[in-house]
Amino acid sequence: MPRHLQMFANYNRWANRLLFDAAATLTDTEYHRDMGAFFGSLHRTLDHLMVADMMWMHRFTGSGDLPQTLGIALYETLETLDAARQRLDQRIIDWVAILDEAALSRDITYRPVTRPMEFTHPLGPTLFHLFNHQTHHRGQCHAILTALGKPSLEMDLIYFLRGDGQEWLYG
């Protein structure tokens, strides 16, 4: 499981880079336009991913900034959000790299901001949720980009593995 999670952490950064590069081709109006996605605009969706990842990383590690609500807007511009995303993606990669099977089998207990109760889960499957949540919302970002007339992005894991992520195919 540790190697698979390391692969997902690196894939996560790669896919986020594709999205942010595509977002940089938009006008500010397009980038902030409500396109009917769950969080409205591309900006709000990318910002939500930051909020959620920060919450999860705080739950996992006990450190880092902890937003108090899922609906908070942390960043106003693509540039500031992009810089923060790059830092957080590297933090995720670095942290996942030190996890072993014993760490991944340990339980974590947390209280979601959406429910007033505690949940306890093993770290490993819960960490897979972090990456799956990213994939879910990146799909919404992709839909926003194509609705704005931008080219379709090839963000599937297999494209990562065939290119920048070949090291994860063997070894």
Side-chain angles (χ1 to χ4, degrees):
M1 190 183 305
R3 183 159 169 79
H4 282 93
L5 287 164
Q6 291 167 15
M7 176 189 66
F8 276 114
N10 282 273
Y11 163 70
N12 185 62
R13 175 177 56 191
W14 174 85
N16 284 337
R17 185 74 264 135
L18 289 178
L19 264 183
F20 276 86
D21 288 349
T25 69
L26 300 174
T27 66
D28 194 57
T29 300
E30 290 172 323
Y31 177 64
H32 286 94
R33 182 181 300 156
D34 187 336
M35 297 297 293
F38 190 83
F39 290 95
S41 69
L42 182 57
H43 176 75
R44 292 283 296 157
T45 304
L46 292 171
D47 197 76
H48 164 72
L49 282 170
M50 278 295 297
V51 169
D53 283 1
M54 290 167 69
M55 287 178 172
W56 280 111
M57 287 300 291
H58 191 274
R59 292 169 185 159
F60 295 153
T61 68
S63 66
D65 292 334
L66 179 60
Q68 297 302 308
T69 178
L70 285 173
I72 193 169
L74 296 177
Y75 301 94
E76 294 301 318
T77 68
L78 175 62
E79 294 76 20
T80 56
L81 179 56
D82 187 7
R85 179 78 259 172
Q86 289 181 55
R87 287 189 303 274
L88 186 55
D89 284 346
Q90 189 60 53
R91 179 176 176 224
I92 292 168
I93 288 169
D94 294 343
W95 178 70
V96 169
I98 65 169
L99 299 175
D100 58 17
E101 290 289 348
L104 293 168
S105 66
R106 286 191 200 105
D107 284 344
I108 65 159
T109 300
Y110 64 95
R111 184 181 309 269
V113 297
T114 58
R115 293 192 174 98
M117 56 196 312
E118 284 189 345
F119 290 91
T120 300
H121 304 291
L123 175 61
T126 309
L127 185 51
F128 275 114
H129 165 74
L130 177 134
F131 297 123
N132 187 62
H133 180 255
Q134 278 271 346
T135 299
H136 166 70
H137 285 297
R138 276 195 300 262
Q140 293 173 346
C141 293
H142 180 267
I144 291 169
L145 286 165
T146 56
L148 290 168
K150 297 301 177 184
S152 183
L153 299 175
E154 294 178 332
M155 291 188 298
D156 287 341
L157 176 63
I158 198 66
Y159 292 110
F160 169 69
L161 295 173
R162 291 175 185 162
D164 293 344
Q166 287 184 23
E167 69 182 275
W168 301 104
L169 285 173
Y170 309 101

